[in-house]
Amino acid sequence: MSYLEATNNLYKEAALTPDVGLCCTTNPIWELPGLKIPKIMQEMNYGCGSTVNARDLTNNPKMLYVGVGGGMELLQFSYFNRQKGGVIGVDVVVEMLEASRKNFKEAEVQNDWFKSNFVELKKGDAMNLPVEDNSIDVAAQNCLFNIFKAEDLKKAIAEMYRVLKPHGRLVMSDPTCEQPMNDELRNDDRLRALCLSGSLPIADYVKALTDAGFGTIEIRARKPYRILDPKNYNTDELIYIESIEVAAIKDPMPEDGPCIFTGKAAIYFGDDDYVDDKKGHILLKNQPLAICDKTAGALASLGRDDIFISDSTFHYDGGGCC
């Protein structure tokens, strides 16, 4: 049995018998006026963060969500696009699609504004999406990509890139791990399916996105997630896993490389009203400016003693140098 078959079997069971403690269930529920999340959707909340952000969802975007779970995030996406077929949900597990359809009926009862036909559910593989090229404004996945091994991850990211419109964005949440894991953990199919042993370092995760062509990467959150300890797992040391929330934007790739925002800021505190680096960045005196890592390096290379550059906070909330 391949690791993908093991994953499909695990989530088939989770669709038929909701398991609150199965995977992650740390995904926050958005408190929005008039939005009510059925209890069954909360019980089938198999995510590790949030892919729903109001700033991504303006002007009735066409949305794609891969790995539907119990339908909670599809319902939340529909809140921002109340049109027939405005949101597409894709899953390879038939039982999960059927569970979501059933859950949407309950959502209709609890939400006067919601109709099940706002969401078009499709059976499909993340590595071969049943979606047209350049047709999606916002694509999302939550705690799915970390399951894939390297070549499959490359295919899944390429598919997301293919279906996005120019300047569209891929919004994701996945576990990450900066510590090395032994082969026993990496090759444990169940631990991979449980969103644990497939966790990549953030730099490797970002590189997989930029290698696919995404010109702008935003790391929006980084939070504690799980511990793999020697008492319960095949490891000699305690392994700390975090979850991150990331947006990859289908911007043209800059000639000098991608713009990767990891939550750095620059503050100019010199004698003048501002400083202009002659590369498109103006720093007003005493006004923090969000900067990508590339700009942080360029400003540091100036060797000035009146520009402070913060460490990465791994929390980026828009605006800044690019």
Side-chain angles (χ1 to χ4, degrees):
M1 179 184 297
S2 71
Y3 83 96
L4 292 174
E5 289 173 322
T7 300
N8 290 350
N9 289 339
L10 182 72
Y11 287 96
K12 174 181 177 179
E13 295 171 7
L16 297 172
T17 306
D19 184 351
V20 174
L22 167 68
C23 173
C24 327
T25 62
T26 58
N27 188 4
I29 297 172
W30 275 62
E31 298 290 340
L32 296 166
L35 173 63
K36 296 180 181 179
I37 308 294
K39 182 179 178 181
I40 185 62
M41 285 186 174
Q42 297 179 42
E43 292 174 348
M44 298 178 69
N45 176 14
Y46 306 135
C48 64
S50 180
T51 60
V52 182
N53 190 306
R55 83 163 185 259
D56 298 324
L57 304 175
T58 58
N59 300 318
N60 296 319
K62 182 73 172 183
M63 288 174 273
L64 167 68
Y65 188 69
V66 182
V68 300
M72 188 181 86
E73 288 199 279
L74 287 163
L75 174 63
Q76 292 178 122
F77 282 130
S78 295
Y79 183 89
F80 295 91
N81 186 341
R82 305 181 185 189
Q83 301 179 53
K84 182 178 179 180
V87 181
I88 299 172
V90 174
D91 206 301
V92 72
V93 180
V94 172
E95 291 80 5
M96 198 65 80
L97 292 168
E98 292 174 349
S100 291
R101 287 191 179 94
K102 182 178 178 181
N103 294 347
F104 288 145
K105 294 300 182 183
E106 179 60 28
E108 283 186 336
V109 172
Q110 296 187 29
N111 295 273
D112 292 341
W113 58 269
F114 178 70
K115 302 297 180 185
S116 292
N117 66 11
F118 290 173
V119 181
E120 181 182 3
L121 292 174
K122 295 185 177 184
K123 184 179 186 299
D125 191 324
M127 290 170 277
N128 187 23
L129 293 170
V131 180
E132 295 179 359
D133 295 358
N134 304 310
S135 62
I136 299 296
D137 295 296
V138 179
Q141 65 83 21
N142 195 332
C143 218
L144 172 64
F145 279 5
N146 76 99
I147 294 173
F148 294 136
K149 294 183 179 180
E151 285 304 309
D152 290 337
L153 175 61
K154 183 178 179 180
K155 293 175 184 176
I157 294 174
E159 275 293 274
M160 289 291 210
Y161 188 89
R162 174 184 67 80
V163 303
L164 282 170
K165 297 176 182 178
H167 307 291
R169 57 192 60 205
L170 168 58
V171 187
M172 300 158 288
S173 181
D174 272 309
T176 61
C177 182
E178 301 303 320
Q179 295 169 259
M181 288 192 196
N182 60 48
D183 290 341
E184 287 79 9
L185 291 175
R186 289 293 188 194
N187 294 324
D188 187 313
D189 291 345
R190 182 171 176 82
L191 289 183
R192 186 171 283 274
L194 288 170
C195 306
L196 294 173
S197 65
S199 305
L200 295 174
I202 291 175
D204 292 350
Y205 187 93
V206 169
K207 186 176 186 302
L209 295 167
T210 57
D211 283 351
F214 288 98
T216 302
I217 309 294
E218 302 175 354
I219 298 182
R220 296 176 171 180
R222 180 177 180 179
K223 299 176 288 188
Y225 175 63
R226 287 289 192 277
I227 292 292
L228 302 183
D229 66 281
K231 183 183 297 185
N232 296 292
Y233 299 92
N234 186 14
T235 174
D236 293 330
E237 64 175 345
L238 185 147
I239 296 175
Y240 173 53
I241 301 175
E242 298 173 297
S243 69
I244 59 171
E245 296 175 11
V246 178
I249 303 172
K250 193 176 177 178
D251 288 337
M253 183 65 68
E255 291 184 3
D256 57 351
C259 294
I260 301 169
F261 289 88
T262 61
K264 290 184 177 180
I267 303 176
Y268 166 63
F269 55 94
D271 295 329
D272 298 321
D273 291 335
Y274 65 90
V275 61
D276 184 348
D277 71 350
K278 308 302 182 183
K279 295 182 179 179
H281 311 120
I282 296 177
L283 279 68
L284 301 178
K285 185 174 182 178
N286 295 325
Q287 297 296 312
L289 176 71
I291 53 174
C292 70
D293 291 5
K294 183 173 58 180
T295 298
L299 290 174
S301 70
L302 298 176
R304 299 184 62 129
D305 62 3
D306 55 3
I307 297 177
F308 172 81
I309 300 172
S310 75
D311 293 333
S312 297
T313 63
F314 298 98
H315 180 87
Y316 173 74
D317 196 30
C321 68
C322 302

PDB file of all heavy atoms in Angstrom, residues 125-138:
ATOM      1  N   ASP A 125      -7.932  14.734  -7.951  1.00  0.00           N
ATOM      2  CA  ASP A 125      -6.629  14.552  -7.333  1.00  0.00           C
ATOM      3  C   ASP A 125      -5.906  15.890  -7.306  1.00  0.00           C
ATOM      4  O   ASP A 125      -5.915  16.619  -8.297  1.00  0.00           O
ATOM      5  CB  ASP A 125      -5.847  13.522  -8.154  1.00  0.00           C
ATOM      6  CG  ASP A 125      -4.581  13.049  -7.489  1.00  0.00           C
ATOM      7  OD1 ASP A 125      -3.925  13.872  -6.822  1.00  0.00           O
ATOM      8  OD2 ASP A 125      -4.247  11.871  -7.638  1.00  0.00           O
ATOM      9  N   ALA A 126      -5.250  16.198  -6.210  1.00  0.00           N
ATOM     10  CA  ALA A 126      -4.502  17.456  -6.109  1.00  0.00           C
ATOM     11  C   ALA A 126      -3.411  17.551  -7.158  1.00  0.00           C
ATOM     12  O   ALA A 126      -2.992  18.653  -7.526  1.00  0.00           O
ATOM     13  CB  ALA A 126      -3.892  17.590  -4.712  1.00  0.00           C
ATOM     14  N   MET A 127      -2.954  16.415  -7.664  1.00  0.00           N
ATOM     15  CA  MET A 127      -1.893  16.411  -8.670  1.00  0.00           C
ATOM     16  C   MET A 127      -2.441  16.410 -10.090  1.00  0.00           C
ATOM     17  O   MET A 127      -1.681  16.388 -11.061  1.00  0.00           O
ATOM     18  CB  MET A 127      -0.976  15.205  -8.445  1.00  0.00           C
ATOM     19  CG  MET A 127      -0.140  15.352  -7.183  1.00  0.00           C
ATOM     20  SD  MET A 127       0.737  13.839  -6.727  1.00  0.00           S
ATOM     21  CE  MET A 127      -0.559  12.945  -5.846  1.00  0.00           C
ATOM     22  N   ASN A 128      -3.755  16.441 -10.211  1.00  0.00           N
ATOM     23  CA  ASN A 128      -4.403  16.496 -11.533  1.00  0.00           C
ATOM     24  C   ASN A 128      -5.780  17.125 -11.347  1.00  0.00           C
ATOM     25  O   ASN A 128      -6.803  16.463 -11.464  1.00  0.00           O
ATOM     26  CB  ASN A 128      -4.510  15.101 -12.133  1.00  0.00           C
ATOM     27  CG  ASN A 128      -5.014  15.111 -13.562  1.00  0.00           C
ATOM     28  OD1 ASN A 128      -4.895  16.108 -14.274  1.00  0.00           O
ATOM     29  ND2 ASN A 128      -5.618  14.015 -13.988  1.00  0.00           N
ATOM     30  N   LEU A 129      -5.803  18.409 -11.085  1.00  0.00           N
ATOM     31  CA  LEU A 129      -7.036  19.090 -10.704  1.00  0.00           C
ATOM     32  C   LEU A 129      -8.026  19.172 -11.863  1.00  0.00           C
ATOM     33  O   LEU A 129      -7.644  19.518 -12.993  1.00  0.00           O
ATOM     34  CB  LEU A 129      -6.721  20.510 -10.211  1.00  0.00           C
ATOM     35  CG  LEU A 129      -5.942  20.612  -8.902  1.00  0.00           C
ATOM     36  CD1 LEU A 129      -5.498  22.050  -8.662  1.00  0.00           C
ATOM     37  CD2 LEU A 129      -6.791  20.117  -7.727  1.00  0.00           C
ATOM     38  N   PRO A 130      -9.301  18.890 -11.614  1.00  0.00           N
ATOM     39  CA  PRO A 130     -10.336  19.004 -12.650  1.00  0.00           C
ATOM     40  C   PRO A 130     -10.814  20.448 -12.786  1.00  0.00           C
ATOM     41  O   PRO A 130     -12.009  20.753 -12.658  1.00  0.00           O
ATOM     42  CB  PRO A 130     -11.441  18.092 -12.107  1.00  0.00           C
ATOM     43  CG  PRO A 130     -11.315  18.201 -10.621  1.00  0.00           C
ATOM     44  CD  PRO A 130      -9.842  18.347 -10.341  1.00  0.00           C
ATOM     45  N   VAL A 131      -9.879  21.341 -13.063  1.00  0.00           N
ATOM     46  CA  VAL A 131     -10.144  22.778 -13.112  1.00  0.00           C
ATOM     47  C   VAL A 131      -9.387  23.367 -14.298  1.00  0.00           C
ATOM     48  O   VAL A 131      -8.249  22.965 -14.585  1.00  0.00           O
ATOM     49  CB  VAL A 131      -9.698  23.469 -11.799  1.00  0.00           C
ATOM     50  CG1 VAL A 131      -9.986  24.969 -11.853  1.00  0.00           C
ATOM     51  CG2 VAL A 131     -10.387  22.838 -10.591  1.00  0.00           C
ATOM     52  N   GLU A 132      -9.997  24.339 -14.987  1.00  0.00           N
ATOM     53  CA  GLU A 132      -9.385  24.939 -16.166  1.00  0.00           C
ATOM     54  C   GLU A 132      -8.194  25.819 -15.806  1.00  0.00           C
ATOM     55  O   GLU A 132      -8.098  26.351 -14.702  1.00  0.00           O
ATOM     56  CB  GLU A 132     -10.420  25.778 -16.920  1.00  0.00           C
ATOM     57  CG  GLU A 132     -11.568  24.973 -17.508  1.00  0.00           C
ATOM     58  CD  GLU A 132     -12.568  25.865 -18.216  1.00  0.00           C
ATOM     59  OE1 GLU A 132     -12.372  27.103 -18.227  1.00  0.00           O
ATOM     60  OE2 GLU A 132     -13.534  25.324 -18.787  1.00  0.00           O
ATOM     61  N   ASP A 133      -7.302  26.011 -16.769  1.00  0.00           N
ATOM     62  CA  ASP A 133      -6.156  26.904 -16.605  1.00  0.00           C
ATOM     63  C   ASP A 133      -6.635  28.333 -16.342  1.00  0.00           C
ATOM     64  O   ASP A 133      -7.651  28.783 -16.891  1.00  0.00           O
ATOM     65  CB  ASP A 133      -5.309  26.931 -17.886  1.00  0.00           C
ATOM     66  CG  ASP A 133      -4.652  25.602 -18.198  1.00  0.00           C
ATOM     67  OD1 ASP A 133      -4.816  24.654 -17.414  1.00  0.00           O
ATOM     68  OD2 ASP A 133      -3.970  25.524 -19.245  1.00  0.00           O
ATOM     69  N   ASN A 134      -5.889  29.053 -15.509  1.00  0.00           N
ATOM     70  CA  ASN A 134      -6.079  30.498 -15.316  1.00  0.00           C
ATOM     71  C   ASN A 134      -7.535  30.875 -15.034  1.00  0.00           C
ATOM     72  O   ASN A 134      -8.043  31.867 -15.561  1.00  0.00           O
ATOM     73  CB  ASN A 134      -5.604  31.252 -16.565  1.00  0.00           C
ATOM     74  CG  ASN A 134      -4.169  30.946 -16.919  1.00  0.00           C
ATOM     75  OD1 ASN A 134      -3.275  31.016 -16.083  1.00  0.00           O
ATOM     76  ND2 ASN A 134      -3.939  30.572 -18.168  1.00  0.00           N
ATOM     77  N   SER A 135      -8.195  30.093 -14.184  1.00  0.00           N
ATOM     78  CA  SER A 135      -9.619  30.324 -13.939  1.00  0.00           C
ATOM     79  C   SER A 135      -9.962  30.662 -12.493  1.00  0.00           C
ATOM     80  O   SER A 135     -11.104  30.991 -12.193  1.00  0.00           O
ATOM     81  CB  SER A 135     -10.415  29.070 -14.340  1.00  0.00           C
ATOM     82  OG  SER A 135     -10.025  27.950 -13.560  1.00  0.00           O
ATOM     83  N   ILE A 136      -8.976  30.622 -11.587  1.00  0.00           N
ATOM     84  CA  ILE A 136      -9.231  30.755 -10.155  1.00  0.00           C
ATOM     85  C   ILE A 136      -8.544  32.001  -9.604  1.00  0.00           C
ATOM     86  O   ILE A 136      -7.379  32.278  -9.909  1.00  0.00           O
ATOM     87  CB  ILE A 136      -8.721  29.500  -9.397  1.00  0.00           C
ATOM     88  CG1 ILE A 136      -9.440  28.238  -9.886  1.00  0.00           C
ATOM     89  CG2 ILE A 136      -8.880  29.676  -7.891  1.00  0.00           C
ATOM     90  CD1 ILE A 136     -10.919  28.207  -9.625  1.00  0.00           C
ATOM     91  N   ASP A 137      -9.271  32.760  -8.787  1.00  0.00           N
ATOM     92  CA  ASP A 137      -8.682  33.934  -8.135  1.00  0.00           C
ATOM     93  C   ASP A 137      -7.949  33.564  -6.845  1.00  0.00           C
ATOM     94  O   ASP A 137      -6.861  34.077  -6.576  1.00  0.00           O
ATOM     95  CB  ASP A 137      -9.779  34.954  -7.799  1.00  0.00           C
ATOM     96  CG  ASP A 137     -10.435  35.535  -9.027  1.00  0.00           C
ATOM     97  OD1 ASP A 137      -9.740  36.208  -9.802  1.00  0.00           O
ATOM     98  OD2 ASP A 137     -11.646  35.298  -9.219  1.00  0.00           O
ATOM     99  N   VAL A 138      -8.558  32.699  -6.047  1.00  0.00           N
ATOM    100  CA  VAL A 138      -7.965  32.285  -4.773  1.00  0.00           C
ATOM    101  C   VAL A 138      -8.086  30.772  -4.646  1.00  0.00           C
ATOM    102  O   VAL A 138      -9.192  30.231  -4.675  1.00  0.00           O
ATOM    103  CB  VAL A 138      -8.663  32.959  -3.567  1.00  0.00           C
ATOM    104  CG1 VAL A 138      -8.036  32.485  -2.256  1.00  0.00           C
ATOM    105  CG2 VAL A 138      -8.581  34.480  -3.673  1.00  0.00           C
TER     106      VAL A 138
END
